[in-house]
Amino acid sequence: MSRSGVALSNECQSVFQELKLGKSLKFIIFKLNDAKTEIVVDQKSTSSSYDDFIGELPENDCRYAVYDFEYELGAEGKRSKICFYIWSPDTAPVRSKMLYASSKDAIRRALTGISSEIQGTDFSEVAYESVFDKVSKGAGSH
Amino acid sequence: MSITRESIWAALPSTIKGTPLHLSYDPRTNRLVYPSNKAVILRSLSDPSSSTQFTGHTASTSVAKFAPSGYYIASGDVTGNVKVFDSSSTTEDPEIVKGTFPIISGRINDLTWDSDSKRIIAVGDGKERFGHCFTFDTGNSVGEITGHASQINAADIRSVRPFRAATAADDAAVVWLAGPPFKFVKAIRGEHTSFVTDLRFSLDGAYVVSVGMDRRIVIYDGKEGDVLARVDGAHDGGILSVASGKSEDGACRFATASTDGSVKLWEFKDSAVSEVFKWKVADDHLSGVVFTSTTTVTAVSLPGDIYTLSESSATPSETLYGHQKSITAVSVTSDLKSIYTASYDGRVVQWNAATGEAKLVSGSGHSGLITNIVETGGKFYTSAWDDTIKSFSAEEFTSSSLSTPAQPKSLTAAGEYLILATETAVYTYDLSMKQVASWSSSSITAVSANSSVAAVGSQSGAITLLSVPDLKPLPTAIAPLRAAVSTVSLCPLTDSDGRLLLAAGDTTGKIAVINVTDGSVVTTRWAFHTARVTSISWRADGKYVATGSLDTNVFVYSVDKPAKNVKTLGAHKDGVNAVAWVGEGKIVSVGADACVKLWNVAL
């Protein structure tokens, strides 16, 4: 249980397994339900365009997201890393930012196999280049 | 010329307040397996003096479980390593370790085998994940344990097909898995309002029982995981442990152990449960429970005492005592019938030297590390870090207690007197605990005395001789040791040449034998220990000396042939704290592993 008492819905686990094992999904966006008691799946997508993913992040509200990040290493071939995003823009309401920050453990610790965690407070921090920099630096990324 | 082990009187299970202890029982050999300090103890319930100690772990162990086949044991430690070893290994044979698997980055809280004895689910408090499912021989992954947001306290696998597994965690949820390979199916939230401490499938696989600190018992369907029933306020305290068993007529039962000190026996009835029996076991809270037959249950309390409960009595029918923490002192009675041991937590235990049966010395005892037990005038005196000297006879402490002026370092008997060393002074007391004399110095580390002379060792390596009982320095000068004196021991008698010998051990492992009558050095050949000498014991005839050290070894040296010695290496993991002779050909040693070991010495 997270500090805020928010729990993770069962759907989140199964959709994440679809992305991780089934490789059928490209990204999942999670949000808190209206009663602020549970983390639920906001949307899932198979679109391979990173811009589509960025476009789905709301400008004035927070979200959690999981993105199956793929990148080329020239001759060494393709790499794929699952990234966890906590999207908390400066312009979001303070209450929302507090709630998402304090509930992060409920989802982050329940998902296994995440290689990087991305904190985003504006669009420059979740841009393809900055995420690429981060994931390609870690151990085993080459 | 050898030392062979005669028996191990096992340590009690290690427990943590508010944390369940998962016990495991093997009906074929009638043995219990449990974690104890850095070892795993296999303890026979029919013969409590027969035990095996598995010392393969390098960190404190947290759980151990028999495979359903009985051939293997899996054990976990606080660093997240799981070891699988052969259950037939005895302490004499080198233990056969099948495999070592690093599972998580924190404490392993529970392990469970599937009914094929092939797969293991290990769960605990990790950083990246809270558990894993793997094969027992190769460590290959056969599933993923996901869905919890905080440490997992327990896991169990359904014993019949289709296999299901369930885990219980601190996030108040129970997670349902299907497999193999085991995969997340659903999280069951809202049934418990606090930490879920333990969870077991019924033996026929029809039900699952989970218990928690919210005093609740929740029953689930064993195949689909649907909630069937709930018992609120099942105990007057949080429930720490649940065990599955069967009654004589084959009905599935379970037992719960609680922080209120009671164990309750329950029976499944259709989709509900009914209470069958209740035992009031102990005043302390109970950490673990396991079925040992259709009619008996074994429970373990916070101090580690092992209780056997049967339906014929509401109180324990048998209790196994011992030590849970490092044993710091040992004393053999002059009639050789009993051995007294005392530990870091202030507990004193009386052992029957022939059978290994243990009894607790009751009454108002000590609350801190006991430094020594000495026998004189038909009574036993103990000094402890609660800054008192107390006495007991047979099985009970007397009410008399003496507050010492400072923390006791060492206590020794000198005829009709007791001599106590503290950091800065030595005191003589008569047996009514009145102070007779005192002598001030600095950095005192150890004292040993007989009825006329006392030898006092110090941090600087100097050894001073004092008269007894008035504690006046004697003129005999002794050359100082090269390192701080850690223990001194006067020979109980003068030898045929009129010499009175003193063995003094230092912090580097060297032992010097000094003739106290003229201060000359007899030998410095006894230098086989590699760390602090913690204890030196003379055989009653003064011909041999047994020594114990922090280097885990026990040596027996001969006075007549100082170059000869016999040894046993690795006697106690983390160091030997005390050794004593039991008659002519036997020694008893105690150490930081909380075990008492008896050795036969052939000279």
Side-chain angles (χ1 to χ4, degrees):
Chain A
M1 208 183 294
S2 61
R3 298 255 175 259
S4 60
V6 169
L8 188 69
S9 72
N10 282 336
E11 186 198 5
C12 299
Q13 273 290 342
S14 46
V15 175
F16 177 70
Q17 295 299 327
E18 245 179 83
L19 179 140
K20 186 174 126 185
L21 302 173
K23 289 280 175 196
S24 51
L25 292 176
K26 193 66 189 167
F27 66 83
I28 314 163
I29 295 176
F30 303 93
K31 67 171 183 186
L32 284 169
N33 64 356
D34 294 341
K36 312 281 185 219
T37 54
E38 232 184 9
I39 299 167
V40 296
V41 175
D42 184 20
Q43 50 183 302
K44 49 186 180 180
S45 168
T46 53
S47 160
S48 58
S49 156
Y50 192 75
D51 289 341
D52 281 359
F53 168 60
I54 296 300
E56 295 298 342
L57 295 176
E59 263 180 66
N60 296 319
D61 204 0
C62 306
R63 289 291 181 267
Y64 304 112
V66 169
Y67 189 86
D68 187 5
F69 198 87
E70 280 186 7
Y71 55 96
E72 294 273 350
L73 272 177
E76 290 171 50
K78 245 183 180 178
R79 295 288 183 275
S80 158
K81 299 270 149 154
I82 298 176
C83 298
F84 179 81
Y85 289 73
I86 171 163
W87 173 242
S88 184
D90 292 336
T91 47
V94 174
R95 183 185 155 74
S96 178
K97 285 197 273 193
M98 299 263 294
L99 205 51
Y100 273 78
S102 58
S103 310
K104 192 195 84 177
D105 258 8
I107 177 162
R108 175 63 189 87
R109 301 201 76 178
L111 306 180
T112 54
I114 305 261
S115 74
S116 318
E117 199 173 314
I118 315 286
Q119 290 246 17
T121 55
D122 62 46
F123 282 99
S124 73
E125 287 176 348
V126 293
Y128 185 87
E129 291 70 28
S130 29
V131 178
F132 176 78
D133 276 354
K134 192 156 185 188
V135 299
S136 59
K137 262 182 200 146
S141 53
H142 312 288
Chain B
M1 291 290 284
S2 68
I3 301 185
T4 47
R5 181 168 34 232
E6 182 182 296
S7 53
I8 297 179
W9 297 340
L12 296 177
S14 295
T15 55
I16 302 174
K17 200 162 196 163
T19 305
L21 170 75
H22 302 287
L23 296 165
S24 179
Y25 172 76
D26 179 29
R28 289 162 199 81
T29 53
N30 189 25
R31 287 189 301 180
L32 208 57
V33 63
Y34 55 77
S36 174
N37 298 309
K38 287 183 179 174
V40 172
I41 303 280
L42 284 92
R43 184 168 192 157
S44 163
L45 287 178
S46 49
D47 177 11
S49 66
S50 148
S51 300
T52 305
Q53 187 187 26
F54 170 73
T55 53
H57 286 278
T58 50
S60 295
T61 52
S62 52
V63 61
K65 290 279 181 82
F66 278 106
S69 67
Y71 295 129
Y72 289 100
I73 294 165
S75 59
D77 65 27
V78 295
T79 60
N81 279 317
V82 171
K83 282 182 189 273
V84 177
F85 60 96
D86 200 311
S87 68
S88 65
S89 53
T90 57
T91 322
E92 283 73 24
D93 289 333
E95 298 113 350
I96 308 160
V97 180
K98 183 91 178 159
T100 302
F101 310 110
I103 301 301
I104 50 176
S105 52
R107 185 179 192 264
I108 301 273
N109 286 336
D110 195 12
L111 287 165
T112 182
W113 290 79
D114 71 350
S115 56
D116 298 341
S117 300
K118 288 273 188 290
R119 302 169 196 91
I120 299 172
I121 292 180
V123 295
D125 190 10
K127 296 262 182 330
E128 161 61 21
R129 59 183 182 185
F130 298 110
H132 192 46
C133 182
F134 55 98
T135 55
F136 84 109
D137 45 3
T138 58
N140 289 340
S141 172
V142 275
E144 243 191 358
I145 312 300
T146 56
H148 284 296
S150 49
Q151 67 163 330
I152 303 180
N153 293 318
D156 200 19
I157 302 176
R158 191 173 191 239
S159 57
V160 291
R161 285 187 161 78
F163 281 156
R164 296 284 183 267
T167 55
D170 271 3
D171 60 2
V174 166
V175 161
W176 193 255
L177 306 132
F182 288 99
K183 282 203 183 71
F184 176 88
V185 175
K186 63 179 174 183
I188 305 159
R189 287 177 213 279
E191 293 302 324
H192 283 284
T193 56
S194 179
F195 305 151
V196 192
T197 48
D198 204 356
L199 158 153
R200 293 293 147 216
F201 278 86
S202 64
L203 292 186
D204 61 3
Y207 305 101
V208 185
V209 190
S210 72
V211 296
M213 292 308 278
D214 53 6
R215 308 176 181 189
R216 239 176 224 177
I217 297 174
V218 182
I219 312 289
Y220 313 80
D221 174 63
K223 201 171 162 196
E224 303 304 331
D226 301 326
V227 177
L228 299 177
R230 195 165 88 188
V231 184
D232 283 328
H235 278 273
D236 297 331
I239 307 172
L240 280 180
S241 184
V242 58
S244 279
K246 268 197 163 91
S247 70
E248 271 184 323
D249 53 12
C252 277
R253 289 176 159 190
F254 65 96
T256 53
S258 159
T259 54
D260 66 6
S262 69
V263 171
K264 284 184 179 180
L265 187 62
W266 310 77
E267 199 159 290
F268 295 101
K269 245 188 205 139
D270 302 323
S271 294
V273 291
S274 59
E275 188 180 325
V276 181
F277 204 82
K278 180 187 172 177
W279 292 278
K280 177 67 192 150
V281 181
D283 295 329
D284 284 297
H285 85 211
L286 296 175
S287 298
V289 66
V290 69
F291 274 85
T292 44
S293 76
T294 50
T295 51
T296 56
V297 170
T298 293
V300 171
S301 65
L302 184 65
D305 301 329
I306 302 169
Y307 299 95
T308 303
L309 311 169
S310 70
E311 266 181 81
S312 54
S313 156
T315 49
S317 51
E318 200 193 331
T319 309
L320 299 180
Y321 293 107
H323 293 283
Q324 196 178 31
K325 301 270 163 62
S326 172
I327 305 179
T328 51
V330 64
S331 175
V332 181
T333 57
S334 40
D335 60 7
L336 306 181
K337 282 193 177 137
S338 309
I339 295 170
Y340 286 97
T341 56
S343 60
Y344 180 83
D345 51 5
R347 182 178 259 225
V348 180
V349 173
Q350 181 200 30
W351 306 83
N352 181 323
T355 63
E357 266 174 274
K359 284 184 192 140
L360 215 53
V361 176
S362 57
S364 55
H366 291 286
S367 60
L369 186 153
I370 294 176
T371 60
N372 298 86
I373 306 174
V374 299
E375 181 185 13
T376 182
K379 270 178 30 179
F380 294 87
Y381 295 84
T382 51
S383 59
W385 282 8
D386 56 8
D387 294 1
T388 58
I389 296 176
K390 293 188 176 184
S391 67
F392 64 89
S393 50
E395 286 161 46
E396 190 161 353
F397 273 100
T398 57
S399 52
S400 63
S401 167
L402 169 77
S403 288
T404 58
Q407 189 178 70
K409 283 266 181 193
S410 178
L411 181 72
T412 184
E416 292 298 294
Y417 298 97
L418 290 171
I419 296 184
L420 171 78
T422 66
E423 175 84 18
T424 54
V426 178
Y427 303 90
T428 312
Y429 300 100
D430 63 18
L431 295 186
S432 59
M433 297 208 189
K434 290 223 163 47
Q435 188 178 320
V436 176
S438 71
W439 175 74
S440 294
S441 178
S442 62
S443 315
I444 297 168
T445 54
V447 66
S448 179
N450 63 18
S451 53
S452 61
V453 60
V456 180
S458 83
Q459 200 71 42
S460 64
I463 295 169
T464 315
L465 298 175
L466 302 171
S467 63
V468 172
D470 49 353
L471 299 181
K472 295 276 186 294
L474 295 176
T476 321
I478 293 174
L481 304 189
R482 301 176 110 190
V485 179
S486 57
T487 183
V488 287
S489 180
L490 268 177
C491 182
L493 40 81
T494 357
D495 68 8
S496 48
D497 305 334
R499 301 182 301 178
L500 177 61
L501 300 182
L502 170 76
D506 70 20
T507 50
T508 63
K510 297 193 172 30
I511 297 166
V513 182
I514 296 147
N515 179 0
V516 169
T517 25
D518 60 4
S520 61
V521 174
V522 178
T523 182
T524 53
R525 279 171 180 269
W526 299 354
F528 286 84
H529 284 297
T530 54
R532 167 192 293 268
V533 180
T534 51
S535 176
I536 299 174
S537 171
W538 290 83
R539 198 164 91 168
D541 61 5
K543 289 203 159 76
Y544 293 94
V545 165
T547 65
S549 158
L550 197 62
D551 65 7
T552 74
N553 307 329
V554 170
F555 278 83
V556 174
Y557 292 109
S558 159
V559 177
D560 296 336
K561 296 176 186 160
K564 284 255 187 233
N565 67 64
V566 287
K567 65 190 170 185
T568 176
L569 305 178
H572 293 274
K573 202 169 176 122
D574 287 342
V576 179
N577 288 335
V579 288
W581 287 87
V582 189
E584 292 267 297
K586 204 189 276 189
I587 52 177
V588 56
S589 67
V590 296
D593 60 0
C595 289
V596 179
K597 295 183 182 177
L598 287 184
W599 311 86
N600 283 319
V601 186
L603 295 164

